[in-house]
Amino acid sequence: MLSASSNRSDDVVDVDQNSQPNLPIQQSKNQSLSHRPPPLAEVEMATRSLSEDSPPTPSWFTPKRLLVIFCVINMLNYVDRGAIASNGVNGSQRTCDDKGICTSGSGIQGDFRLNNFQDGVLSSAFMVGLLVASPIFASLAKSHNPFRLIGVGLSVWTFATAGCGSSFDFWSIAICRMLVGVGEASFISLAAPFIDDNAPIPQKTAWLAMFYMCIPTGVALGYVYGGLVGSHLNWRYAFWGEAILMLPFAVLGFVIKPLQLKGFAPAESGKAQVVASVSEGSEASNLNDHVSEDISDQASERSIKSIGESRFLNQLSQFSQDTKVLLQEKVYVVNVLGYIAYNFVIGAYSYWGPKAGYNIYHMSNADMMFGGVTIVCGIVGTISGGFILDQMGATISNAFKLLSAATFLGAISCLTAFCLSSLYGFLALFTVGELLVFATQAPVNYVCLHSVKPSLRALSMAISTVSIHIFGDVPSSPLVGVLQDHVNNWRKTTLALTSIFFLAAGIWFVGIFLKSIDKFNEDGENQISVDSKANMKPLLEGNGDNL
């Protein structure tokens, strides 16, 4: 863990860099003056005073605790998705029989009298906020502390889930669901790079696997949580409970000393601001001897407005350039293309799987069977994939080998399972297939993080998330529905869907032969000088063995 003294020295060294955005203001005030540095005594007094007041580095915030906290937050995100889909929260429509006798509905559908289309909109409304906000948060990470951005996102999430519980009609809850996606976007884009920074080198993929294992676990807990709360209390309490559980983590994002992310320059420190203000005060006293205060204020306002517009345009231009760099990175593009094909199948499985199982094998409890198999395979398969890659040697080439082999073998198992007429034979082979395909979660995200330089990792995760949803699971469910309407045979439909796994395996197989360079240790463009590189180190570096 970096000591407080090293942080103080780094901040003082970076004063000139961090105060760069203020240069146009200073120039407008001092066009006729020669620049002279502020008195050294004033600078030392200002930095010493602020250093004495700064809180000590929290010794309890170790890498393992960072992983635990992020896993809990990730699980809460997916508990929310499971809860809104559960019968206890989602409920049922109001129904009437042939005699005109009606029974009141339950849950969200019953209270707001939603049809199936409106109910479907609610289940995916968060995706709108997630897809729009993910690239925005990834871009803001270059000019704002990423850890603070996670705090902002979790605060929005907490507010939005509480709003879901307080909603009064379809549009109010739909807007709140979109804001849930906005809140989740910052965490999805930035959490994985933080884990990758602070994980022990021999266990990087295993740590990522633990993080992504929380996805199926969270959805499963959400089903149970939503069912229990909805049946015993009211569906609104489920959302209020989620907000209460997330609130401490949202507060933590603001009160704790912010962590730095590798490849990103620290946001302007308080000490640099104080030093800059001392410098500005000293020069302003000389300026009063030459120009009037009114003219100075007007020039300052114009300069501030110009700086604001310039920063926005610079950020937009930087985002465009970074996106272009990502799209030119062949390893990253191949990885995401394979992930899109993979997610196309997984998304359709999660939506149509129970219905297909009911029609093919006449399962009376298809929801429980498919849900149970997916939960167990999601946990075991995801963790196993991470540990296997670490044992192989966590490299991009080995990750592609694991991705292609696991997906290919998983495709064969799932394809054979849907060809069998025996229910028990189907369940056995389908379980093996899902174990194999879920083993890809850690390796695919490892490639996303290590095929680009550190300053692009947040954007790479955001673009990957946007791509796999827009081109993967979002269109897959309706397209599979169209195919089923055409062939009217669920066995043929599932076989056609499962065969897309072979496409994903083939794309990832190509990645093995690409020239791959692990760029984890490359300098980001924000690492300007040798002195500033000290600030690029993760705050928790060196504490990997401490709990």
Side-chain angles (χ1 to χ4, degrees), residues 182-209:
V182 172
E184 186 178 333
S186 68
F187 184 74
I188 292 296
S189 303
L190 300 169
F194 271 117
I195 293 174
D196 193 48
D197 273 358
N198 295 287
I201 294 177
Q203 301 173 7
K204 281 185 178 292
T205 322
W207 279 40
L208 287 174

Short mmCIF file of all heavy atoms in Angstrom, two decimals, residues 182-209:
data_model
loop_
_atom_site.label_atom_id
_atom_site.label_comp_id
_atom_site.label_asym_id
_atom_site.label_seq_id
_atom_site.Cartn_x
_atom_site.Cartn_y
_atom_site.Cartn_z
N VAL A 182 -28.13 2.71 -15.87
CA VAL A 182 -27.11 3.78 -15.83
C VAL A 182 -26.20 3.58 -14.63
O VAL A 182 -24.97 3.68 -14.72
CB VAL A 182 -27.79 5.17 -15.77
CG1 VAL A 182 -26.74 6.25 -15.52
CG2 VAL A 182 -28.54 5.45 -17.06
N GLY A 183 -26.80 3.29 -13.47
CA GLY A 183 -26.01 3.08 -12.27
C GLY A 183 -25.09 1.88 -12.37
O GLY A 183 -23.94 1.89 -11.90
N GLU A 184 -25.58 0.82 -13.00
CA GLU A 184 -24.79 -0.39 -13.14
C GLU A 184 -23.64 -0.21 -14.13
O GLU A 184 -22.61 -0.89 -14.03
CB GLU A 184 -25.70 -1.53 -13.61
CG GLU A 184 -25.04 -2.89 -13.67
CD GLU A 184 -26.01 -3.98 -14.09
OE1 GLU A 184 -27.22 -3.82 -13.86
OE2 GLU A 184 -25.54 -4.98 -14.66
N ALA A 185 -23.80 0.71 -15.07
CA ALA A 185 -22.82 0.88 -16.15
C ALA A 185 -21.43 1.21 -15.62
O ALA A 185 -20.43 0.68 -16.11
CB ALA A 185 -23.29 1.96 -17.12
N SER A 186 -21.33 2.11 -14.64
CA SER A 186 -20.02 2.50 -14.13
C SER A 186 -19.31 1.31 -13.49
O SER A 186 -18.10 1.12 -13.65
CB SER A 186 -20.16 3.64 -13.11
OG SER A 186 -20.80 3.18 -11.93
N PHE A 187 -20.05 0.50 -12.77
CA PHE A 187 -19.46 -0.65 -12.09
C PHE A 187 -19.02 -1.71 -13.09
O PHE A 187 -17.91 -2.26 -12.99
CB PHE A 187 -20.47 -1.23 -11.10
CG PHE A 187 -19.92 -2.37 -10.28
CD1 PHE A 187 -19.03 -2.11 -9.24
CD2 PHE A 187 -20.27 -3.67 -10.54
CE1 PHE A 187 -18.50 -3.16 -8.49
CE2 PHE A 187 -19.77 -4.72 -9.81
CZ PHE A 187 -18.87 -4.46 -8.77
N ILE A 188 -19.86 -1.99 -14.08
CA ILE A 188 -19.55 -3.01 -15.06
C ILE A 188 -18.28 -2.64 -15.84
O ILE A 188 -17.44 -3.49 -16.16
CB ILE A 188 -20.73 -3.20 -16.04
CG1 ILE A 188 -21.92 -3.82 -15.32
CG2 ILE A 188 -20.33 -4.04 -17.24
CD1 ILE A 188 -21.68 -5.21 -14.81
N SER A 189 -18.11 -1.35 -16.15
CA SER A 189 -16.97 -0.91 -16.96
C SER A 189 -15.67 -0.85 -16.17
O SER A 189 -14.59 -1.09 -16.73
CB SER A 189 -17.25 0.49 -17.55
OG SER A 189 -18.43 0.48 -18.32
N LEU A 190 -15.74 -0.55 -14.87
CA LEU A 190 -14.54 -0.22 -14.11
C LEU A 190 -14.13 -1.25 -13.07
O LEU A 190 -12.97 -1.27 -12.64
CB LEU A 190 -14.73 1.14 -13.42
CG LEU A 190 -15.00 2.32 -14.36
CD1 LEU A 190 -15.44 3.54 -13.57
CD2 LEU A 190 -13.76 2.63 -15.17
N ALA A 191 -15.04 -2.13 -12.65
CA ALA A 191 -14.72 -3.07 -11.57
C ALA A 191 -13.66 -4.08 -12.00
O ALA A 191 -12.70 -4.36 -11.27
CB ALA A 191 -15.98 -3.78 -11.10
N ALA A 192 -13.83 -4.66 -13.20
CA ALA A 192 -12.88 -5.68 -13.65
C ALA A 192 -11.44 -5.16 -13.75
O ALA A 192 -10.50 -5.85 -13.33
CB ALA A 192 -13.34 -6.27 -14.98
N PRO A 193 -11.20 -3.94 -14.30
CA PRO A 193 -9.83 -3.43 -14.30
C PRO A 193 -9.24 -3.26 -12.90
O PRO A 193 -8.05 -3.51 -12.69
CB PRO A 193 -9.97 -2.06 -15.00
CG PRO A 193 -11.14 -2.22 -15.90
CD PRO A 193 -12.09 -3.10 -15.13
N PHE A 194 -10.06 -2.84 -11.93
CA PHE A 194 -9.57 -2.73 -10.55
C PHE A 194 -9.14 -4.10 -10.02
O PHE A 194 -8.09 -4.23 -9.38
CB PHE A 194 -10.65 -2.14 -9.64
CG PHE A 194 -10.63 -0.64 -9.57
CD1 PHE A 194 -11.71 0.10 -10.02
CD2 PHE A 194 -9.55 0.04 -9.05
CE1 PHE A 194 -11.71 1.49 -9.97
CE2 PHE A 194 -9.53 1.43 -8.98
CZ PHE A 194 -10.61 2.16 -9.45
N ILE A 195 -9.96 -5.13 -10.26
CA ILE A 195 -9.62 -6.48 -9.80
C ILE A 195 -8.35 -6.96 -10.49
O ILE A 195 -7.46 -7.55 -9.87
CB ILE A 195 -10.80 -7.43 -10.06
CG1 ILE A 195 -11.99 -7.05 -9.17
CG2 ILE A 195 -10.40 -8.88 -9.80
CD1 ILE A 195 -13.25 -7.84 -9.46
N ASP A 196 -8.25 -6.71 -11.79
CA ASP A 196 -7.08 -7.14 -12.55
C ASP A 196 -5.82 -6.45 -12.05
O ASP A 196 -4.74 -7.06 -12.04
CB ASP A 196 -7.30 -6.82 -14.03
CG ASP A 196 -6.29 -7.50 -14.93
OD1 ASP A 196 -6.07 -8.71 -14.75
OD2 ASP A 196 -5.73 -6.83 -15.81
N ASP A 197 -5.92 -5.21 -11.63
CA ASP A 197 -4.76 -4.47 -11.10
C ASP A 197 -4.24 -5.08 -9.81
O ASP A 197 -3.04 -5.17 -9.59
CB ASP A 197 -5.14 -3.02 -10.84
CG ASP A 197 -4.98 -2.14 -12.06
OD1 ASP A 197 -4.54 -2.66 -13.10
OD2 ASP A 197 -5.31 -0.95 -11.99
N ASN A 198 -5.14 -5.47 -8.93
CA ASN A 198 -4.76 -5.81 -7.56
C ASN A 198 -4.72 -7.30 -7.27
O ASN A 198 -4.33 -7.70 -6.17
CB ASN A 198 -5.73 -5.13 -6.58
CG ASN A 198 -5.64 -3.62 -6.63
OD1 ASN A 198 -4.67 -3.03 -6.15
ND2 ASN A 198 -6.62 -2.97 -7.22
N ALA A 199 -5.11 -8.14 -8.23
CA ALA A 199 -5.05 -9.59 -8.03
C ALA A 199 -3.61 -10.07 -8.06
O ALA A 199 -2.78 -9.52 -8.80
CB ALA A 199 -5.87 -10.30 -9.10
N PRO A 200 -3.25 -11.09 -7.27
CA PRO A 200 -1.92 -11.68 -7.37
C PRO A 200 -1.68 -12.19 -8.79
O PRO A 200 -2.59 -12.73 -9.42
CB PRO A 200 -1.97 -12.85 -6.36
CG PRO A 200 -3.08 -12.51 -5.43
CD PRO A 200 -4.08 -11.74 -6.23
N ILE A 201 -0.49 -12.02 -9.30
CA ILE A 201 -0.19 -12.37 -10.69
C ILE A 201 -0.54 -13.82 -11.04
O ILE A 201 -1.14 -14.07 -12.08
CB ILE A 201 1.29 -12.07 -11.01
CG1 ILE A 201 1.54 -10.55 -10.94
CG2 ILE A 201 1.68 -12.61 -12.38
CD1 ILE A 201 2.98 -10.15 -11.17
N PRO A 202 -0.25 -14.81 -10.17
CA PRO A 202 -0.58 -16.19 -10.55
C PRO A 202 -2.09 -16.50 -10.49
O PRO A 202 -2.51 -17.56 -10.92
CB PRO A 202 0.17 -17.04 -9.51
CG PRO A 202 1.12 -16.11 -8.83
CD PRO A 202 0.50 -14.77 -8.91
N GLN A 203 -2.90 -15.57 -9.94
CA GLN A 203 -4.32 -15.85 -9.74
C GLN A 203 -5.24 -14.81 -10.40
O GLN A 203 -6.40 -14.70 -10.03
CB GLN A 203 -4.63 -15.91 -8.24
CG GLN A 203 -3.83 -16.97 -7.50
CD GLN A 203 -4.03 -16.89 -6.00
OE1 GLN A 203 -4.87 -16.14 -5.49
NE2 GLN A 203 -3.24 -17.66 -5.27
N LYS A 204 -4.73 -14.08 -11.38
CA LYS A 204 -5.53 -13.01 -11.97
C LYS A 204 -6.83 -13.54 -12.58
O LYS A 204 -7.91 -12.99 -12.36
CB LYS A 204 -4.71 -12.28 -13.04
CG LYS A 204 -3.73 -11.26 -12.48
CD LYS A 204 -3.05 -10.49 -13.59
CE LYS A 204 -2.11 -9.43 -13.03
NZ LYS A 204 -2.83 -8.34 -12.35
N THR A 205 -6.73 -14.61 -13.36
CA THR A 205 -7.92 -15.13 -14.02
C THR A 205 -8.87 -15.76 -13.01
O THR A 205 -10.09 -15.67 -13.16
CB THR A 205 -7.54 -16.18 -15.08
OG1 THR A 205 -6.35 -15.76 -15.75
CG2 THR A 205 -8.64 -16.33 -16.10
N ALA A 206 -8.32 -16.40 -11.98
CA ALA A 206 -9.18 -16.99 -10.94
C ALA A 206 -9.97 -15.91 -10.22
O ALA A 206 -11.15 -16.10 -9.90
CB ALA A 206 -8.32 -17.78 -9.95
N TRP A 207 -9.35 -14.76 -9.96
CA TRP A 207 -10.06 -13.66 -9.30
C TRP A 207 -11.17 -13.12 -10.21
O TRP A 207 -12.28 -12.82 -9.74
CB TRP A 207 -9.09 -12.56 -8.92
CG TRP A 207 -8.33 -12.83 -7.64
CD1 TRP A 207 -7.82 -14.03 -7.24
CD2 TRP A 207 -8.01 -11.89 -6.62
NE1 TRP A 207 -7.20 -13.89 -6.04
CE2 TRP A 207 -7.29 -12.59 -5.62
CE3 TRP A 207 -8.22 -10.53 -6.45
CZ2 TRP A 207 -6.81 -11.97 -4.48
CZ3 TRP A 207 -7.75 -9.89 -5.31
CH2 TRP A 207 -7.05 -10.61 -4.33
N LEU A 208 -10.88 -13.00 -11.50
CA LEU A 208 -11.92 -12.56 -12.43
C LEU A 208 -13.06 -13.58 -12.47
O LEU A 208 -14.24 -13.21 -12.56
CB LEU A 208 -11.33 -12.37 -13.83
CG LEU A 208 -10.43 -11.16 -14.05
CD1 LEU A 208 -9.81 -11.21 -15.44
CD2 LEU A 208 -11.21 -9.85 -13.88
N ALA A 209 -12.70 -14.87 -12.39
CA ALA A 209 -13.73 -15.92 -12.40
C ALA A 209 -14.64 -15.80 -11.18
O ALA A 209 -15.86 -15.96 -11.29
CB ALA A 209 -13.07 -17.29 -12.44
#
